Amino acid sequence: NDYKFASAGDDGIVYLWDVQTGERLFEFLGHTQQITAITVFPSSDTSGEPTSLILTASSDRTVIIWNCDSGRQVKKISDFHSTVKCLTVLQRLDLWLSGGSELRMWNRKLELVSETSHFTDSGISNLIELPKNCIAAAIGKDLIIFKLLIPTDNSDSWDIHEVKCLSAHQDNIRSLVNVNELTFVSGSLVGELIVWDALDWTVLAYERSFWDTSSPHEAMQEIKLQKQKEISVQHFTTDGECVFAAIGRGIYVYNLQMKRVIAYQRTAHDSNVLHIAKFPNRQIISCSEDGSVRIWEIKERKHPSAEAVPTGIFSMWGFGKASKQPSQTVKKMQDNVVQSSVELIGDLIGHSSAVQMFLYFPGHGLVTCSADHLIILWKDGERESRLRSLNLFEKLEENGYLLPRF
């Protein structure tokens, strides 16, 4: 919630923390191998009072449900055929899903209500909820759409039906996020960004590269010559208007309405960007394998003259060639069109190894976790200084030191 967060690591231990003080509230012991997924499931206890549950999955092929208020283990599920890689809560239906070599659906009582058959390939790596009781599951390079059949007057059973297989990606899907109720986005290991219609599951936009050659095979051969990590989509986030993508060492802002990249920083970090988030006031924060955490600002800028601007993400790395024909230049950009740049405004120095992700708490600060075994709570210096000054004046006033003297 707004005051607590949980951390999990390769040691199989989960900790619950107070974001205001940095105090460790609980230590959850139960897994024997690394944690592969974690999520929160708002629930209620027997008295009807609201409480929150934490669901954790591990490489030990178990899922454990924890009570955030008591710190106790509620239930341990250990009959999975393989590692559970993702957990998704469907709060509207009071259900949660686990994805691995099969898709399983669980109710609020933590009972299994339905499951799919065993997947023979790499299994489910990501899950998101779609409208009309549908689910999108990333399995290798495919997206599988499942329909959740809920109990009706004619049937009191739950079921999961596979509806459609979407095979638009050229390589394994790395990131999958909802944009809004009508749109979702997926990204792959070869830098593809695909925008999907959440209702009929058609492709709304496809972003990869605009090659000079018309042969897809030649394009894929050229892309394989690049180091895969340099072009891989590591993480997505969105504000409903744009998709903010961590691709290789860079960060990219893709406008959904314009269907093109409107701002980017090609070498935002010295190594792969692992996590990215959009902050208020047109700010972006990113973290990397190199141990850095950086804050960026999206700023508008004007170009005095029209130039051909490549719209593909890869063309920013120099793949392909931008057309120089005047007629195409006019189509790409008119005079004095406002574009945006991504400029560095802050660098948080404190970690000595890869920073895997972070959480932002408005009014409280930023929490970062790293492979150096550190969790760092960062505070707004100016805000904290004002709060300390206010507390000091309140104490002085309580003790009578601020009363007028004659």
Side-chain angles (χ1 to χ4, degrees), residues 239 241-242 244 253 255 262-263 277-285 295-301 338-343 345:
D239 62 357
E241 179 184 348
C242 294
F244 304 88
V253 183
N255 187 282
I262 60 170
K278 170 71 163 52
F279 277 19
N281 302 322
R282 298 176 63 84
Q283 292 182 357
I284 303 172
I285 186 166
I295 303 174
W296 310 85
E297 185 174 356
I298 304 173
K299 295 185 178 181
E300 295 181 345
R301 62 183 181 185
V338 177
Q339 280 194 310
S340 300
S341 62
V342 180
E343 299 185 14
I345 61 172

Side-chain angles (χ1 to χ4, degrees), residues 251-268:
I251 54 180
Y252 298 81
V253 183
Y254 180 87
N255 187 282
L256 292 163
Q257 184 176 3
M258 300 170 67
K259 296 183 180 181
R260 68 180 181 89
V261 174
I262 60 170
Y264 66 93
Q265 182 61 247
R266 190 179 309 165
T267 53

Side-chain angles (χ1 to χ4, degrees), residues 4 9 20 43 52 54 76 84 97 139 149 156 173 207 216 218-219 225 255 259 287 347 385-386:
K4 298 176 184 177
Q20 293 177 298
S43 185
S52 290
I54 292 180
K76 185 173 185 177
V84 173
L97 306 174
I139 304 177
L149 302 181
D156 59 354
I173 297 169
E207 179 79 14
E218 292 180 15
L225 297 177
N255 187 282
K259 296 183 180 181
C287 63
D347 207 340
S385 178
R386 290 195 301 269

